[in-house]
């Protein structure tokens, strides 16, 4: 893949995805590869992040490169009122590519219009998270397959950026997507529009039970407390959209359960030691996949 | 009776204008939205004539809006096209039609509509104009992807 910027999963073709995943497989293990010793990656995280940020740091260091980090928003010039457009133009002078996490939707798209170095969207509000999608697809390919796939995606589908990106990317493959959520957290119209435009096979549900036996992959996301004004309402919904070990009796023996993490209560820890659990492997895959992506961009 | 004659009759019914714009073939019932897009509510003493739901051979029922002393900008015409895709714009100078053209749907409208998504980066204090791609049945924010399919006038930025 050769794109100047990585902004949404919608820009990925099947060929783009397969190229990155194939290359990631080469990086999955000790490589001793230092092909990007002169590369500096600028990390601009306007929101807290653990996995995404650390996996990007690890990825560039395993390629021989280094990072510069603007640090927390509280300690940056953002507190002085500097615009995002100015921030990225300044850091562009220091780094060969920018990794941007920002609470506003469209932030990476806007940033890309102000700089010449590649901008990688590491999450923009409730918008997109395309590099998470690449590692999700890598994990799915390792555990199941990307074609003839029946995938359930459950939880906060409205605000879940990982869901939006994954759903769009899956339209490149022969998949049936079952979306399971409370009505208040169903897919936003713009994501549904893209899926319909792409001719995707999509079904929406409010209950997992009827579709669970058909699934090859169940992708679970966290329902966020702050989306509910009432704590009791949150608890009622959150407990309904989780999975426990007993429910797996109804599932295929080779069902893979995934989660972008962090999880709270939505996956019973008793599942961790079963062959169904793919979420820690999924987090691990962030490094080789991001190595592959950076290698193609730098 | 031809549509042109019909339009002429209706224009005569509400009187000719000396200088300004006649917006003809507006979708029936949309004239007030057109005025909203133009930011005209009568409070500034503008001279406005409106014909609503008059017969039209071309589009069945149409509205006509005449605005004295004002020529539409391209940005205004762009947005007009979203709610009145069949409209024709007549620029009148000294009682004569100096220019006549139909609105065309642009591929994008820039700096005209504000994004209704409060979490969109364009609602922040950033040096970018709003930008919407024009779809078959609405518009879509180029930055956050939000769709607007109706009530365009509620999102107009044009003064």
């Amino acid at each position: 893949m050769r794109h100047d910027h990585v902004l949404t999963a919608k820009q990925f073709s099947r060929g783009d995805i397969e190229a990155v995943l194939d290359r990631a497989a080469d990086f999955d293990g000790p490589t001793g590869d230092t092909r990007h010793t002169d590369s500096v990656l600028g990390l601009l995280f306007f929101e807290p992040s653990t996995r995404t940020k650390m996996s990007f740091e690890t990825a560039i260091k395993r390629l021989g490169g280094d990072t510069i980090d603007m640090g927390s928003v509280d300690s940056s010039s953002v507190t002085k009122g500097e615009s995002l457009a100015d921030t990225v133009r300044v850091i562009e002078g220091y780094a060969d590519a920018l990794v941007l996490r920002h609470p506003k939707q469209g932030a990476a798209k806007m940033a890309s219009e102000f700089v010449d170095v590649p901008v990688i969207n590491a999450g923009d509000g409730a918008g997109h998270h395309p590099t998470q999608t690449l590692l999700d697809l890598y994990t799915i390919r390792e555990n199941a397959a990307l074609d003839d796939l029946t995938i359930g995606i459950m939880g906060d589908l409205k605000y879940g950026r990982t869901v939006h990106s994954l759903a769009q990317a899956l339209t490149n493959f022969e998949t049936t997507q079952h979306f399971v959520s409370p009505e208040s957290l169903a897919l936003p119209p713009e994501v549904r529009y893209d899926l319909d435009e792409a001719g995707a096979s999509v079904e929406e549900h409010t209950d997992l039970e009827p579709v669970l036996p058909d699934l090859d992959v169940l992708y679970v996301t966290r329902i966020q407390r702050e989306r509910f004004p009432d704590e009791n309402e949150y608890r009622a919904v959150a407990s309904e959209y989780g999975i426990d070990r007993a429910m797996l009796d109804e599932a295929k023996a080779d069902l893979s359960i995934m989660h972008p993490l962090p999880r709270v209560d939505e996956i019973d820890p008793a599942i961790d030691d079963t062959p169904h659990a793919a979420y820690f492997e999924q987090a691990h895959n962030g490094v080789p996949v991001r190595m592959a992506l950076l290698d193609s961009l730098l | 009776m031809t549509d042109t004659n019909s339009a002429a009759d209706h224009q005569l019914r509400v009187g000719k204008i000396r200088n300004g714009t006649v917006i003809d073939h507006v979708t029936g019932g949309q004239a007030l939205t057109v005025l909203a897009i133009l930011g005209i509510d009568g409070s500034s003493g503008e001279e406005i004539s409106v014909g609503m739901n008059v017969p039209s051979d071309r589009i069945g029922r149409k509205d006509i809006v005449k605005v004295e002393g004002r020529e539409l900008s391209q940005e205004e015409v762009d947005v007009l096209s979203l709610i009145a895709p069949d409209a024709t714009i007549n620029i009148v100078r000294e009682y004569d039609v100096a220019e006549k053209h139909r609105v065309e749907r642009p591929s994008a409208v820039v700096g005209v509509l504000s994004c209704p998504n409060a979490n969109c980066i364009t609602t922040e204090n950033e040096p970018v104009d709003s930008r919407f791609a024009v779809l078959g049945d609405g518009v879509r924010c180029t930055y956050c992807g939000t769709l607007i399919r109706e009530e365009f006038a509620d999102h107009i930025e044009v003064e």
Side-chain angles (χ1 to χ4, degrees):
Chain A
M1 182 171 67
R2 178 70 208 186
H3 288 297
D4 287 333
H5 306 290
V6 179
L7 304 177
T8 75
K10 202 173 159 186
Q11 74 187 70
F12 298 154
S13 68
R14 182 182 178 117
D16 290 336
I17 292 167
E18 289 179 337
V20 172
L21 304 196
D22 289 346
R23 197 184 302 228
D26 295 335
F27 286 120
D28 198 355
T31 58
D33 198 321
T34 55
R35 66 179 75 185
H36 293 289
T37 49
D38 294 329
S39 295
V40 173
L41 194 59
L43 302 176
L44 292 83
F45 281 71
F46 290 77
E47 276 183 344
S49 166
T50 305
R51 282 154 298 280
T52 302
K53 187 174 177 184
M54 291 184 72
S55 67
F56 266 112
E57 283 182 292
T58 308
I60 188 66
K61 286 176 179 173
R62 286 200 175 159
L63 290 169
D66 209 342
T67 61
I68 53 171
D69 186 344
M70 78 170 200
S72 70
V73 168
D74 292 344
S75 64
S76 76
S77 53
V78 175
T79 55
K80 299 173 186 170
E82 185 178 59
S83 67
L84 173 62
D86 279 0
T87 301
V88 295
R89 279 183 283 194
V90 170
I91 310 300
E92 175 192 24
Y94 310 150
D96 301 296
L98 305 178
V99 179
L100 176 66
R101 162 76 59 93
H102 198 279
K104 291 286 180 179
Q105 282 175 254
K109 161 71 177 160
M110 189 206 75
S112 73
E113 295 173 356
F114 287 90
V115 298
D116 290 326
V117 299
V119 172
I120 302 170
N121 184 3
D124 60 340
H128 304 276
H129 198 351
T131 68
Q132 173 73 38
T133 289
L134 290 171
L135 70 92
D136 292 340
L137 295 175
Y138 184 80
T139 309
I140 292 170
R141 193 172 77 166
E142 283 198 320
N143 286 278
L146 289 171
D147 287 308
D148 302 320
L149 176 75
T150 301
I151 181 168
I153 303 178
M154 180 171 75
D156 179 353
L157 310 182
K158 183 175 184 180
Y159 299 103
R161 56 193 170 205
T162 62
V163 169
H164 305 161
S165 290
L166 178 60
Q168 288 179 338
L170 284 171
T171 63
N172 287 292
F173 303 92
E174 296 297 322
T175 60
T176 299
Q177 301 187 52
H178 293 279
F179 294 96
V180 183
S181 74
E183 284 182 11
S184 63
L185 295 177
L187 282 178
E190 56 268 22
V191 175
R192 187 63 208 247
Y193 179 90
D194 284 333
L195 298 180
D196 291 341
E197 281 282 292
S201 175
V202 171
E203 292 183 31
E204 295 187 77
H205 313 267
T206 54
D207 191 0
L208 175 65
E209 195 179 353
V211 294
L212 181 59
D214 298 329
L215 302 181
D216 302 303
V217 173
L218 174 61
Y219 192 99
V220 185
T221 64
R222 181 167 53 97
I223 289 177
Q224 299 174 73
R225 222 180 230 98
E226 58 268 30
R227 303 299 178 200
F228 294 84
D230 181 71
E231 176 75 12
N232 290 330
E233 192 185 341
Y234 159 74
R235 288 193 177 284
V237 169
S239 63
E240 203 176 326
Y241 291 91
I243 185 159
D244 60 33
R245 195 157 179 166
M247 293 167 70
L248 292 175
D249 292 342
E250 304 300 320
K252 287 183 181 177
D254 58 354
L255 169 72
S256 295
I257 298 175
M258 298 173 61
H259 193 301
L261 302 179
R263 67 172 159 174
V264 183
D265 300 319
E266 54 275 11
I267 298 178
D268 181 356
I271 293 174
D272 294 358
D273 295 328
T274 72
H276 298 292
Y279 27 92
F280 292 119
E281 171 193 349
Q282 185 183 354
H284 161 84
N285 289 337
V287 172
V289 169
R290 289 181 171 119
M291 287 175 76
L293 183 69
L294 291 172
D295 187 42
S296 70
L297 291 171
L298 293 171
Chain B
M1 182 186 292
T2 67
D3 195 42
T4 306
N5 289 336
S6 172
D9 287 348
H10 289 294
Q11 287 182 35
L12 285 172
R13 188 181 297 172
V14 292
K16 282 191 167 186
I17 61 173
R18 180 171 184 171
N19 292 296
T21 305
V22 176
I23 309 162
D24 199 0
H25 298 105
V26 174
T27 310
Q30 293 291 327
L32 298 181
T33 305
V34 167
L35 290 173
I37 285 174
L38 300 179
I40 294 171
D41 60 8
S43 62
S44 304
E46 309 95 329
E47 194 175 314
I48 311 297
S49 304
V50 175
M52 294 184 74
N53 292 315
V54 299
S56 164
D57 288 347
R58 182 143 70 87
I59 61 173
R61 294 276 171 181
K62 67 176 183 178
D63 291 359
I64 303 171
V65 177
K66 295 185 176 187
V67 185
E68 181 71 48
R70 173 147 172 200
E71 296 186 10
L72 294 189
S73 69
Q74 187 59 49
E75 287 80 7
E76 289 169 326
V77 173
D78 285 350
V79 179
L80 207 58
S81 73
L82 302 176
I83 57 145
D86 298 309
T88 48
I89 310 292
N90 300 288
I91 305 297
V92 178
R93 293 175 191 141
E94 290 301 324
Y95 297 107
D96 286 329
V97 176
E99 294 174 30
K100 182 167 187 167
H101 45 91
R102 291 178 70 166
V103 300
E104 292 182 8
R105 288 173 77 82
S107 58
V109 287
V110 179
V112 177
L113 300 168
S114 59
C115 185
N117 177 5
N119 207 40
C120 177
I121 192 70
T122 60
T123 66
E124 289 291 287
N125 187 26
E126 296 289 345
V128 285
D129 289 325
S130 68
R131 173 180 285 270
F132 286 81
V134 177
L135 311 174
D137 61 345
V139 297
R140 186 174 198 184
C141 176
T142 306
Y143 292 93
C144 73
T146 294
L147 293 162
I148 307 177
R149 287 190 162 119
E150 52 192 15
E151 308 295 342
F152 295 103
D154 292 348
H155 309 292
I156 301 292
E157 282 182 343
V158 172
E159 291 297 322

